[in-house]
Amino acid sequence: MNQGLTGQTWMITGISSGIGYELAKQLLAGGCRVIGLLRDEKKARSLLEAYPEALTLYEVDMCNFSEVDRVVNTALEAAGTISVVVSNAGVSLRGFAEEVKLEELQEVVNTNLTGAMVFIRAAIPFLKKCKGTLVQISSVNGDVPAAQWSYYSASKHGINGYCEAVAKELEPYGVKVIIVEPGRVNTELWNKVANRCREYDGLRRQSVKSDIDVRKLAGKIISICSWDRPPQYIAMGSRASKKIIDHLEGKRNIHMAWRQLSKEVDTDFKMIQPVMKKPETAGERDILMWPLGRECKELLKKYNWSEWEEKLIGFVDSAPEKKGKYCLGRKIYRIDEIQMHISACYVIITSTDYYNEIRKTLKNMGLTSDMDFCHWKKLVED
């Protein structure tokens, strides 16, 4: 068991069985406080009897979104602090797309996707305040869709995308987001089967083989949450890992094969041909303001600037998380580190946001004079 759990507070959805139950069991044994959300409190009675002081249970239906929001806020305000929030509640449904009933589809999407999003949304203010960790229990099907699991796969793809976006939003607040993608776990999750269209009988898989030990899985999740820099995605199980890697490599190969066709729908940039000031001495350095990336490369080709392209050594990134930093050759440098890296004639600047700051800084460094700037502001405005 991981050391240092004493005093931590975890909130877990779906603790009545499976991964949620095993997580709660191991955490409670390790000295943690656990806030458990589940549909029926009776299903966790054995845990409550064993740890009456450390376990708090709240009954909630994950498909009742206003109730989820209310319960999460009530529970976390009462707890006062939170270390880890685990979005684990989920349902499965095996069946070909056309034979699944509408109400079954709604249950899968409402529980696995919408309910999980509402749960995470409600927990975000508390996670930011406590610099906590968010864990989403997803699935190998979150990356690798499978026949007969269309709606389950869709719900897991959706929650992966949501959590990945939320991770970008919460990174500045010190909140870590971990998306766990296990293979088939030895739990009762996989029991629900739609079996209505006889034409598919020959294609059906009659059983789902488990290849993940739920006890080991819970222990690894607890351990990973203690890391200073945990992975944003982690596949659990050798089969799950191989499936995801093979699937992503296959998608990459398809996109690479059709990359040229993809470029054919790009917007045509109607820009006047700029006039460059040629440096009068080898020591002069012109600063070229220009959008970085595909636009820049296409324009360089258009105006036969191939030898200039070699001199265009870097750019300033105006993305909020990189504000005030310089990027040369894909490496980020701070403003006080840039001097040693500027040795060519031109620097690409992606945005006008920092034009005056950059100009003043470089001038103070003695790297350029006012006359060395070609200021094409209109060409780089967003």
Side-chain angles (χ1 to χ4, degrees):
M1 172 52 62
N2 207 44
Q3 298 299 317
L5 289 175
T6 303
Q8 290 189 7
T9 300
W10 288 50
M11 171 178 272
I12 307 170
T13 62
I15 72 160
S16 60
S17 63
I19 299 171
Y21 182 88
E22 190 62 36
L23 275 172
K25 182 180 175 181
Q26 293 187 26
L27 288 166
L28 291 165
C32 279
R33 295 170 58 203
V34 174
I35 303 167
L37 275 60
L38 70 174
R39 248 181 223 183
D40 186 355
E41 189 176 311
K42 295 177 184 177
K43 292 185 177 182
R45 181 174 293 168
S46 61
L47 281 178
L48 189 59
E49 290 174 351
Y51 302 96
E53 301 297 325
L55 176 62
T56 306
L57 297 178
Y58 292 86
E59 289 190 352
V60 62
D61 180 355
M62 295 301 293
C63 296
N64 187 331
F65 308 136
S66 60
E67 184 180 281
V68 171
D69 186 75
R70 177 184 59 79
V71 169
V72 171
N73 278 279
T74 300
L76 290 178
E77 284 177 4
T81 184
I82 193 69
S83 305
V84 181
V85 169
V86 183
S87 173
N88 165 71
V91 295
S92 73
L93 176 64
R94 184 177 63 180
F96 289 88
E98 70 172 294
E99 65 183 357
V100 171
K101 292 181 178 180
L102 181 59
E103 56 269 26
E104 292 174 323
L105 182 165
Q106 289 174 323
E107 182 187 14
V108 171
V109 173
N110 287 346
T111 303
N112 298 356
L113 178 56
T114 313
M117 290 193 294
V118 172
F119 169 70
I120 292 169
R121 173 182 173 273
I124 285 175
F126 300 92
L127 286 167
K128 287 165 63 177
K129 179 182 176 182
C130 300
K131 296 187 185 301
T133 297
L134 169 64
V135 178
Q136 173 63 52
I137 305 299
S138 183
S139 164
V140 60
N141 297 126
D143 270 317
V144 187
Q148 303 184 62
W149 300 95
S150 52
Y151 299 106
Y152 180 77
S153 297
S155 68
K156 292 301 184 180
H157 269 72
I159 199 60
N160 280 8
Y162 174 77
C163 289
E164 194 169 333
V166 167
K168 298 179 190 300
E169 297 174 4
L170 297 184
E171 184 180 7
Y173 299 95
V175 177
K176 294 173 286 189
V177 177
I178 305 168
I179 301 167
V180 181
E181 298 181 301
R184 300 288 183 255
V185 186
N186 55 336
T187 71
E188 61 188 48
L189 177 67
W190 309 106
N191 293 338
K192 190 171 183 180
V193 179
N195 189 355
R196 300 185 182 92
C197 294
R198 298 191 63 182
E199 64 186 281
Y200 291 119
D201 286 349
L203 300 175
R204 293 187 195 282
R205 294 189 307 228
Q206 297 303 318
S207 64
V208 177
K209 294 182 180 180
S210 300
D211 61 343
I212 306 294
D213 186 319
V214 69
R215 292 171 298 177
K216 291 181 179 180
L217 174 60
K220 289 297 181 184
I221 292 170
I222 293 168
S223 178
I224 290 169
C225 288
S226 70
W227 297 356
D228 291 334
R229 302 180 74 176
Q232 186 177 100
Y233 277 95
I234 180 69
M236 286 295 187
S238 55
R239 289 173 61 187
S241 179
K242 185 179 186 306
K243 281 183 179 181
I244 291 171
I245 291 170
D246 290 348
H247 182 74
L248 294 178
E249 286 181 349
K251 286 184 72 172
R252 181 185 183 279
N253 291 338
I254 293 171
H255 284 296
M256 290 299 294
W258 296 98
R259 193 175 183 185
Q260 186 55 46
L261 178 63
S262 302
K263 294 179 180 180
E264 293 176 9
V265 298
D266 290 344
T267 301
D268 293 325
F269 290 88
K270 298 179 180 179
M271 296 183 177
I272 60 170
Q273 183 171 351
V275 178
M276 291 287 294
K277 173 185 175 293
K278 185 178 180 179
E280 295 178 4
T281 66
E284 283 187 299
R285 292 162 173 82
D286 277 15
I287 307 300
L288 167 62
M289 294 195 68
W290 200 261
L292 186 79
R294 174 179 49 75
E295 299 92 336
C296 176
K297 291 181 180 178
E298 292 301 318
L299 285 163
L300 288 172
K301 286 181 184 177
K302 183 176 181 180
Y303 298 121
N304 297 316
W305 287 355
S306 57
E307 64 179 78
W308 288 14
E309 189 173 6
E310 296 177 4
K311 300 176 182 179
L312 297 172
I313 59 170
F315 69 97
V316 176
D317 200 318
S318 59
E321 65 273 15
K322 299 176 183 174
K323 184 174 180 180
K325 294 182 179 180
Y326 292 79
C327 183
L328 307 179
R330 296 188 177 183
K331 183 174 181 181
I332 301 295
Y333 298 94
R334 293 191 178 277
I335 198 167
D336 56 355
E337 297 175 323
I338 193 172
Q339 185 169 1
M340 67 183 75
H341 299 286
I342 295 186
S343 58
C345 294
Y346 304 103
V347 177
I348 305 174
I349 301 176
T350 60
S351 161
T352 59
D353 292 353
Y354 310 114
Y355 177 81
N356 290 328
E357 175 190 341
I358 297 157
R359 180 174 180 172
K360 180 180 177 182
T361 301
L362 294 179
K363 184 177 179 181
N364 290 340
M365 290 179 176
L367 293 177
T368 185
S369 66
D370 290 349
M371 295 300 295
D372 291 334
F373 280 83
C374 297
H375 187 188
W376 303 324
K377 187 171 183 179
K378 290 182 179 179
L379 299 184
V380 294
E381 288 178 341
D382 295 334

